[in-house]
Amino acid sequence: MLIEGIGLLITSLSFGLIMLFLIIGFPEIKKEFKKINQNTWILILIIFLIGAGIRFALPHANFIYSSEYSDLQAGKNILLHGKAELCEYEDFELLKCYSYKKMIGGPLLFAMAFSIFGVDNFVAINVATLFGSLSIFLMFLIGYLIFNERIAILSALFMALSPLHIFFSLSASIYIIGLFFVLLTIFAFLIFFKNKNTKVLILGALSIAFSIQILAELVLLIPLVIFMFFIFEKDLKKKVRNYKFWIPPLVSFIFFFLAFLQLSGNFYLISSVENKNIFENLIKMLQYTYEIHFFNLPFMPFPIFFICFSMYSFLNHRRKTVLIFFWFILFFSFYLFSHFIQLNIFLLFCPALALVNASGISFISGKIKKNSAFVFFAILLTILPFSMFNFYYFFQSQLKLETDIVNEIKNDIPENCYLIVANPTVFRSTSDVKAINIEKALDNKFIIYLEKKTDCIMFLSDVYCFFEDYNYSKIYQGDYCGSVIDLYELRSFKQYKKDKIYLYTVYNLSTKSATL
C-alpha cells in the first residue's frame, strides 16, 4: 500500500513539474524558433488543424482485445479511491480489488480528466486524441531542430496523415500518450543542446521519468538520449566532470525508480524467457509491416521508396540520420525479445521513419534544379493517396458499439441487477455496473447464488460472444455464450444495433428451467 502510494505521488509530481518547467522554460524555448517565418507558422497551423480535425471527427472506440479498459478502470479508481487498482466480483457480495501491475502515468492522466469532465469512456479517449494531435506540432518542432523548415513541415504532414497514428488516436491508447512524451523528451534535449539552459535540461530529465511512468519500455529513452549527447554535445568530456551536469539525470532516475517500485516485481516486459524464438517475432513484425503498413505513412507505399529516401537522407545528413536509425533500431530490437508483438508498438517508430522519409524527399527534390518544387509535390502527391487505403480500419462497427454500450447499459439496467458478461473489465472501466465473468455462470455453485441472493440477473451477448470472418460479414455464437444460452432460460430485455450487422442483446436470465 505504501509503495503504491509513493508511486502515485511521484508520478503526479513528475507531471506537475513538467508543466512547471514548460512554463518557466518557455522564453528560452521560444528563442530557438524566432527564425521561422510567419507563412511557415500558418502552414503548420493548417496541418495541425487538419490532423486534429481528422482525429476528433472520426468515430472513437476502444479496442476489445487490448488493455484500454483496464487502464480506464485504474484511472477511475485513482480518482474515487486514491489507488490504481482493478476490481471484480468474486461472488454477489464480494468485490475484490487488486493492484494495477503496470505503470500508472496513463491512468493518472485519465483520472485528472475524469475529475473535470466526469468518468466516461469518451473522456479518456479524447485525452489520447488530444495528445495525438499535439504530437503533430511536436513533430514539426523536432524536424526543425534536427533538419530545417522544409523537412519539419513534411514530417508534421506525415504524422498528421499517418493512418497508424490516427487509428490509435481514436482510442484511449496509452501508447499515443507515451509517444507524445517521447517526442517531448527528444524536443527538450534538442533545445538544451542549442541553448545549454539548465531549466530545459531538467524538463528533458522529467520527461524521461514521466515517459517511463507511462510505459515501462520507454526506459529505452535513456540510451537514446545518451546517444544524442554523443551526436550533438561538443564538450561532453568537460561537462561530465562537472557535478552540476549530473543533477537533472539523478533527479530523473530517482523519480522513475520510485515509480518502478509500484510494479512489485511484476515487470511484465522482460519476457525473452517466455518466447526465445526471436525469428518468429521478427517474422510477425515484418508481417505487420507488410499487411498493415504497406500503404501507410510513414512506412511508405513501396519498400524501395523508403530505402531510397533513407540513402539520400544519410548522404545529406549523416550524423542526424544515424541518430534516427538508432532510435528505430533501439525499439525494434527490444520488441524482438518481447513476448508480445502488437500493432501499437509501431507507434514508437513512426516519428523516426517520418523524419527519414521527409529528409529523403526533400533532398531528392532539392537536387533537381529545374522545377524542384514541382518534383517535391509530385513525389508527395504520389505517396499520400496510398496512406488513405487504411482508413477502413477506423470504422469497425463492433468496436464502436462495444464502447457505446458501456455508457448506455449503466442507464438501461436497474442498479440492483448483476450483469453476466464475457469481459467484466469493459463494464467496470467507467461504470459501477455489477459485471460478473461469464465463466462463473457455468459453475453449479453460481446457480445456487442466483436462486438465493438476487432476483435480477442479466446476460449480455456482445462482441466477445461472436466470431467474425476476415470480411466481417458473418457472426457466430461463441462457446461460452452458447453454453449460457443452453443452460439458462433467456428473455430479451434490450438490443443494441450498429450497421445492421452487429446486434448485441441484454437478456433477463432465469434459472427456473436450468439444468444442473
Side-chain angles (χ1 to χ4, degrees):
M1 182 73 69
L2 177 61
I3 290 177
E4 293 172 4
I6 292 174
L8 182 58
L9 175 63
I10 292 297
T11 304
S12 304
L13 187 59
S14 297
F15 181 74
L17 288 174
I18 286 174
M19 296 297 102
L20 175 63
F21 278 92
L22 267 174
I23 294 171
I24 65 178
F26 181 75
E28 297 298 325
I29 293 172
K30 189 171 67 171
K31 291 178 183 178
E32 301 303 323
F33 303 100
K34 61 184 179 181
K35 294 182 180 180
I36 299 177
N37 62 56
Q38 186 177 3
N39 291 336
T40 300
W41 285 119
I42 293 173
L43 180 58
I44 200 61
L45 177 62
I46 293 172
I47 292 174
F48 170 77
L49 292 176
I50 290 172
I54 292 172
R55 285 161 175 78
F56 279 101
L58 287 175
H60 289 179
N62 284 321
F63 303 117
I64 55 176
Y65 295 115
S66 56
S67 63
E68 278 92 340
Y69 290 109
S70 297
D71 300 330
L72 266 59
Q73 186 180 167
K76 180 189 75 172
N77 288 328
I78 287 174
L79 174 65
L80 299 180
H81 309 297
K83 295 182 289 186
E85 57 186 10
L86 304 178
C87 301
E88 64 180 25
Y89 279 91
E90 288 291 304
D91 55 43
F92 291 117
E93 298 174 346
L94 178 61
L95 181 65
K96 182 178 180 181
C97 298
Y98 50 93
S99 297
Y100 176 77
K101 298 300 183 182
K102 291 168 63 178
M103 306 308 286
I104 59 174
L108 175 66
L109 294 176
F110 294 148
M112 291 178 181
F114 291 158
S115 68
I116 300 171
F117 301 104
V119 180
D120 188 279
N121 259 334
F122 292 100
V123 169
I125 293 174
N126 282 325
V127 169
T129 305
L130 176 62
F131 278 107
S133 301
L134 292 174
S135 295
I136 300 168
F137 187 66
L138 269 182
M139 190 76 253
F140 166 75
L141 299 179
I142 290 172
Y144 176 77
L145 292 170
I146 296 179
F147 295 110
N148 53 50
E149 282 186 34
R150 192 177 193 181
I151 294 174
I153 292 170
L154 258 181
S155 301
L157 185 62
F158 285 171
M159 181 69 81
L161 297 180
S162 167
L164 176 68
H165 192 268
I166 294 173
F167 183 46
F168 284 99
S169 295
L170 305 179
S171 73
S173 171
I174 58 172
Y175 275 84
I176 281 289
I177 300 173
L179 177 60
F180 171 84
F181 284 96
V182 168
L183 295 175
L184 182 61
T185 299
I186 294 170
F187 168 74
F189 279 100
L190 288 172
I191 293 289
F192 170 74
F193 294 137
K194 289 182 177 293
N195 64 20
K196 312 302 180 188
N197 187 276
T198 304
K199 288 178 285 190
V200 179
L201 178 61
I202 295 174
L203 173 63
L206 290 169
S207 297
I208 291 178
F210 193 69
S211 296
I212 298 170
Q213 289 159 4
I214 293 174
L215 290 168
E217 59 260 50
L218 293 183
V219 70
L220 295 174
L221 280 173
I222 296 175
L224 178 59
V225 168
I226 292 173
F227 193 79
M228 289 175 67
F229 271 93
F230 283 106
I231 293 292
F232 293 105
E233 191 57 69
K234 296 179 180 179
D235 300 323
L236 184 59
K237 290 183 179 179
K238 182 179 179 181
K239 286 184 179 296
V240 295
R241 294 172 184 170
N242 188 339
Y243 75 93
K244 293 182 180 180
F245 175 81
W246 293 101
I247 294 177
L250 181 61
V251 171
S252 175
F253 175 78
I254 293 172
F255 269 70
F256 74 73
F257 176 76
L258 290 173
F260 255 149
L261 293 178
Q262 61 145 336
L263 292 176
S264 305
N266 294 288
F267 186 41
Y268 62 101
L269 284 171
I270 303 303
S271 51
S272 56
V273 175
E274 298 181 28
N275 185 2
K276 297 182 179 179
N277 195 336
I278 300 174
F279 181 73
E280 287 184 4
N281 281 354
L282 178 61
I283 294 298
K284 191 169 183 179
M285 292 179 80
L286 293 176
Q287 183 180 6
Y288 266 135
T289 303
Y290 178 80
E291 292 182 355
I292 307 299
H293 307 297
F294 191 74
F295 296 111
N296 186 8
L297 291 174
F299 278 80
M300 312 309 280
F302 306 107
I304 190 66
F305 279 17
F306 173 66
I307 294 171
C308 290
F309 295 153
S310 301
M311 291 175 60
Y312 281 117
S313 178
F314 180 76
L315 290 173
N316 203 34
H317 306 280
R318 292 193 178 185
R319 289 200 309 162
K320 296 171 182 179
T321 305
V322 168
L323 168 64
I324 296 168
F325 274 128
F326 182 76
W327 178 353
F328 172 79
I329 292 170
L330 188 66
F331 284 96
F332 189 90
S333 301
F334 173 80
Y335 284 112
L336 286 180
F337 292 90
S338 297
H339 73 278
F340 66 94
I341 303 295
Q342 297 178 341
L343 181 58
N344 49 18
I345 68 174
F346 285 86
L347 282 171
L348 302 176
F349 310 154
C350 269
L353 296 175
L355 287 167
V356 168
N357 292 330
S359 175
I361 292 175
S362 178
F363 183 71
I364 292 172
S365 62
K367 283 295 180 181
I368 301 174
K369 296 181 179 180
K370 291 185 178 181
N371 300 321
S372 61
F374 173 80
V375 173
F376 175 81
F377 284 105
I379 295 173
L380 191 61
L381 292 174
T382 301
I383 293 169
L384 286 180
F386 288 98
S387 72
M388 301 300 114
F389 286 179
N390 268 5
F391 270 80
Y392 72 90
Y393 283 107
F394 306 146
F395 302 100
Q396 295 185 16
S397 298
Q398 75 275 25
L399 300 181
K400 185 70 169 63
L401 181 54
E402 186 75 12
T403 307
D404 287 341
I405 63 173
V406 174
N407 289 335
E408 294 179 25
I409 209 166
K410 61 186 178 184
N411 299 318
D412 291 339
I413 68 173
E415 291 184 7
N416 66 316
C417 289
Y418 290 85
L419 184 69
I420 299 172
V421 291
N423 187 352
T425 301
V426 172
F427 297 90
R428 294 293 309 168
S429 60
T430 55
S431 77
D432 293 322
V433 171
K434 299 174 182 178
I436 299 178
N437 194 296
I438 194 172
E439 294 182 37
K440 296 184 184 299
L442 305 181
D443 188 340
N444 287 350
K445 295 180 180 179
F446 186 88
I447 297 177
I448 298 174
Y449 277 118
L450 285 174
E451 295 175 337
K452 295 182 178 181
K453 298 291 184 180
T454 183
D455 60 355
C456 183
I457 298 293
M458 292 186 171
F459 165 64
L460 173 65
S461 177
D462 61 356
V463 66
Y464 296 94
C465 292
F466 298 108
F467 171 80
E468 301 141 347
D469 69 3
Y470 186 77
N471 295 316
Y472 301 101
S473 60
K474 297 180 181 179
I475 298 177
Y476 304 95
Q477 283 296 115
D479 291 338
Y480 282 125
C481 298
S483 298
V484 170
I485 291 173
D486 293 339
L487 187 61
Y488 297 98
E489 181 180 312
L490 304 177
R491 290 173 287 108
S492 179
F493 175 78
K494 184 163 185 177
Q495 294 184 326
Y496 303 89
K497 196 170 185 179
K498 190 77 174 177
D499 295 343
K500 299 181 181 181
I501 294 179
Y502 299 100
L503 181 66
Y504 304 159
T505 306
V506 175
Y507 297 94
N508 279 309
L509 185 147
S510 171
T511 63
K512 292 181 180 179
S513 59
T515 304
L516 294 177

